[in-house]
């Protein structure tokens, strides 16, 4: 495993409406080796409010990484992805689409909207844990993420 050292927690925004998937994702990241902080929103409108520091999310910390489900209430994950990547202040935040959809159209449209990667949620618990470990190892250890603007 790649060794990682962080001075501050890696800020992760999880955009997920399924409470079971939220619990599982948060628990899997707790098992990891990287100091992180996960904020959770459960619909697309809340995701954009969080990212723009609006309403209940005024003062929210800018995430270093976004885990985005596609099938969300209020505002679809594809719309959220488009808004993030169209916004000059947000487009540098890596977005990992993490969804149950295996549809080729969803994969293609996500990449056309500039998703940084597309991952299918595994059904088995062990496979899900391994996927989160791979996200942690690659995205939080190997990849050099842009400096969080609050650190500048």
């Amino acid at each position: 495993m790649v060794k990682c050292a962080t001075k501050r927690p890696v800020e992760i925004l999880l955009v997920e409406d399924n409470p079971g998937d939220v619990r599982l994702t948060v628990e899997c990241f707790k098992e990891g080796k990287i100091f992180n902080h996960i904020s959770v929103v459960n619909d697309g409108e809340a995701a954009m409010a969080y990212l723009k520091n609006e309403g209940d999310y005024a003062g929210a910390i800018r995430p270093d990484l976004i885990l985005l489900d596609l099938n969300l209430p209020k505002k679809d994950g594809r719309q959220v992805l488009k808004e993030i990547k169209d916004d000059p202040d947000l487009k540098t935040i890596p977005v990992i689409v993490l969804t149950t959809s295996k549809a080729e159209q969803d994969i293609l449209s996500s990449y056309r909207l500039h998703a940084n990667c597309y991952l299918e949620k595994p059904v088995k618990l062990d496979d899900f844990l391994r996927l989160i470990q791979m996200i942690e190892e690659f995205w939080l250890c190997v990849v050099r993420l842009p400096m969080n603007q609050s650190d500048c």
Side-chain angles (χ1 to χ4, degrees), residues 17-40:
D17 65 319
N18 181 314
D21 286 348
V22 169
R23 271 192 314 278
L24 185 57
T25 304
V26 169
E27 287 302 315
C28 287
F29 270 106
K30 281 183 185 176
E31 296 290 320
K33 309 277 187 267
I34 304 302
F35 184 36
N36 65 69
H37 176 260
I38 300 178
S39 298
V40 179

Side-chain angles (χ1 to χ4, degrees), residues 115-132:
N116 295 89
C117 73
Y118 188 100
L119 302 173
E120 294 172 23
K121 290 179 196 171
V123 176
K124 293 181 181 175
L125 179 60
D126 288 344
D127 293 340
F128 194 90
L129 177 59
R130 180 67 189 128
L131 179 66
I132 296 300

Side-chain angles (χ1 to χ4, degrees), residues 55-152:
D56 292 341
Y57 303 103
I61 297 172
R62 179 186 171 95
D64 298 301
L65 184 69
I66 299 169
L67 301 177
L68 177 67
D69 188 20
L70 289 182
N71 301 311
L72 298 168
K74 297 186 182 179
K75 185 177 285 193
D76 181 89
R78 293 156 198 83
Q79 293 170 288
V80 172
L81 179 58
K82 180 174 181 359
E83 287 183 38
I84 291 169
K85 295 304 182 177
D86 284 348
D87 186 314
D89 294 328
L90 302 175
K91 70 181 177 181
T92 59
I93 303 171
V95 178
I96 297 172
V97 172
L98 183 59
T99 188
T100 56
S101 174
K102 296 178 183 186
E104 190 61 37
Q105 183 57 40
D106 285 338
I107 298 167
L108 184 59
S109 68
S110 294
Y111 283 115
R112 283 186 174 152
L113 292 169
H114 306 287
N116 295 89
C117 73
Y118 188 100
L119 302 173
E120 294 172 23
K121 290 179 196 171
V123 176
K124 293 181 181 175
L125 179 60
D126 288 344
D127 293 340
F128 194 90
L129 177 59
R130 180 67 189 128
L131 179 66
I132 296 300
Q133 290 170 340
M134 287 188 290
I135 290 171
E136 179 185 55
E137 188 169 320
F138 182 74
W139 283 99
L140 307 183
C141 292
V142 176
V143 170
R144 178 132 184 221
L145 296 172
M147 184 179 284
N148 191 318
Q149 287 182 350
S150 64
D151 293 340
C152 297

